[in-house]
Amino acid sequence: MQSNVNYILEEIIGEGAMAIVYKARHRDLDSLHAIKKLKIQDFDVQKRLIQEGRLLANIRHPNILSVTDLVKLEGTPSLVMEFIQGPSLASLLSRFEINEKQTDALARGIMKGVMAAHKQGLIHRDLKPGNILIDIVDGVVVPKVADFGLAKILDANEQAFSFCGTPEYLAPEILEEKGHAFPVD
């Protein structure tokens, strides 16, 4: 990891329980990036962030947010990622109503990204509209699966079921596996 950072943090573009995401500019290249910096100084959380970076640095897919570097900001491990100008899917859905054709296109892109992760043995475990970023590439809307902080690597004999993630977006079989009740519409 670098201790000398070549990025200027311009503004906060997102914040969760464990990390803050900044819009950042590379000092020499003048290119835009997103940097995810941990808010929690905990060894296990830092280890998980580094694991997230390793996993995503080796997956190149148009529907997965790319991680390009791991740096230290103020002594804290931080991921350098591609910068996406657009909103999250959660933000998009709160402001606009999308039609069936648009829904289908978004769902297909998300599924392609998740499938690419699964081919690498990676299970997201917190897939929700807030973790899908919307990019525009050559005039086409491209969903990008982001935030693999709770991801798990599966070996051939392991099941993905683990009570981890945002409860409202957990698969019912995970809740059933752990004996939790879940609301049915």
Side-chain angles (χ1 to χ4, degrees), residues 43-153:
F43 177 75
D44 289 334
V45 174
Q46 289 182 3
K47 188 172 148 185
R48 183 172 282 285
L49 181 89
I50 293 167
Q51 175 185 337
E52 177 185 359
R54 277 193 188 120
L55 296 171
L56 293 178
N58 292 307
I59 298 177
R60 292 284 182 251
H61 192 277
N63 297 109
I64 294 180
L65 186 70
S66 295
V67 171
T68 58
D69 203 357
L70 179 64
V71 297
K72 280 192 177 180
L73 293 177
E74 300 167 349
T76 303
S78 304
L79 296 180
V80 179
M81 304 173 290
E82 69 178 304
F83 175 73
I84 304 298
Q85 184 69 42
S88 70
L89 180 57
S91 178
L92 179 80
L93 293 174
S94 73
R95 296 186 330 223
F96 302 102
E97 191 170 314
I98 60 174
N99 64 37
E100 188 175 324
K101 185 176 178 182
Q102 293 164 328
T103 300
D104 185 60
L106 287 169
R108 287 177 187 275
I110 294 164
M111 288 187 283
K112 287 177 183 177
V114 169
M115 188 168 56
H118 287 187
K119 285 181 180 176
Q120 298 294 319
L122 185 59
I123 306 299
H124 192 285
R125 299 198 307 179
D126 197 22
L127 192 62
K128 59 186 179 183
N131 287 339
I132 306 295
L133 300 178
I134 305 299
D135 197 10
I136 305 292
V137 178
D138 295 328
V140 176
V141 173
V142 178
K144 300 252 186 185
V145 180
D147 198 352
F148 281 77
L150 297 177
K152 180 170 182 60
I153 300 173

Side-chain angles (χ1 to χ4, degrees), residues 158-169:
E158 190 174 11
Q159 289 188 355
F161 304 138
S162 174
F163 195 74
C164 185
T166 305
E168 295 86 2
Y169 295 99

